[in-house]
Amino acid sequence: MSLRERITNGLKDAMREKDAARLSTLRLINAAIKDQDIAARGAGKTDGVDEGEILAILAKMVKQRIDSANVYEEGGRLELAEKERAEIKVIEGFLPRQLSEAEIAAAIDAAIDQTGASSIRDMGRVMGALKAAYAGQMDFGAAGALIKERLA
């Protein structure tokens, strides 16, 4: 079953179960995907965004909510921080399993070998290879720091 179908089925289930919080989050996911579909059609992709791009959208949504939850906690708005964390759990339910630190290190080494990277100037190619292969499975911000260490 495709990711789009899983999200649609989750939306229907949330409606049936009258789970307002989950329903709200799933509607936000659908809206984000549809926005990107419209942008992709404008760029000539008649099918809209593919699975990899949907995973990237979901990963971005998780990162935004983590940042928001941290800001809310710093501001003493714990109820809003909890709402953000609940949305994160719903979104993460559609993401693939996150890689462990050892798996991330191995993936980075493989991407460096695959791209033939030898200096920090090759970092973009390594990141591109990782994003293509591991969308939604790792924090690319943290991976960037590890790549810099290896290429420095």
Side-chain angles (χ1 to χ4, degrees), residues 129-148:
L130 287 173
K131 285 183 179 182
Y134 300 101
Q137 293 182 293
M138 71 171 70
D139 176 8
F140 292 105
L146 293 171
I147 294 169
K148 281 183 185 176

Side-chain angles (χ1 to χ4, degrees), residues 2 48 78 81:
S2 77
L78 299 179

Side-chain angles (χ1 to χ4, degrees), residues 75-92:
R77 303 291 308 269
L78 299 179
E79 70 284 352
L80 292 175
E82 282 304 311
K83 182 178 183 280
E84 294 291 326
R85 295 205 191 287
E87 288 182 1
I88 290 169
K89 287 180 183 173
V90 172
I91 297 167
E92 284 179 338

Side-chain angles (χ1 to χ4, degrees), residues 98-111:
Q98 296 294 302
L99 298 177
S100 68
E101 288 184 30
E103 290 171 323
I104 291 172
I108 289 171
D109 291 339

Side-chain angles (χ1 to χ4, degrees), residues 6-134:
R6 286 181 43 215
I7 292 168
T8 301
N9 289 341
L11 189 70
K12 290 175 186 175
D13 291 342
M15 281 185 208
R16 274 188 223 108
E17 296 166 7
K18 295 183 178 23
D19 185 347
R22 184 172 172 77
L23 181 61
S24 167
T25 303
L26 290 168
R27 284 182 172 156
L28 289 172
I29 292 171
N30 259 348
I33 292 170
K34 285 181 182 178
D35 284 346
Q36 292 300 315
D37 279 342
I38 291 167
R41 285 188 197 112
K45 287 179 71 178
T46 57
D47 294 339
V49 293
D50 61 19
E51 292 275 321
E53 292 167 313
I54 292 173
L55 288 173
I57 291 167
L58 295 176
K60 181 179 176 183
M61 290 178 79
V62 168
K63 184 173 180 352
Q64 289 171 337
R65 277 151 186 79
I66 289 171
D67 293 344
S68 296
N70 291 337
V71 169
Y72 287 140
E73 283 179 356
E74 290 172 10
R77 303 291 308 269
L78 299 179
E79 70 284 352
L80 292 175
E82 282 304 311
K83 182 178 183 280
E84 294 291 326
R85 295 205 191 287
E87 288 182 1
I88 290 169
K89 287 180 183 173
V90 172
I91 297 167
E92 284 179 338
F94 294 99
L95 288 172
R97 179 187 68 81
Q98 296 294 302
L99 298 177
S100 68
E101 288 184 30
E103 290 171 323
I104 291 172
I108 289 171
D109 291 339
I112 289 172
D113 290 342
Q114 173 192 353
T115 59
S118 59
S119 71
I120 198 73
R121 284 188 272 161
D122 300 321
M123 186 172 165
R125 288 189 301 158
V126 174
M127 285 297 279
L130 287 173
K131 285 183 179 182
Y134 300 101

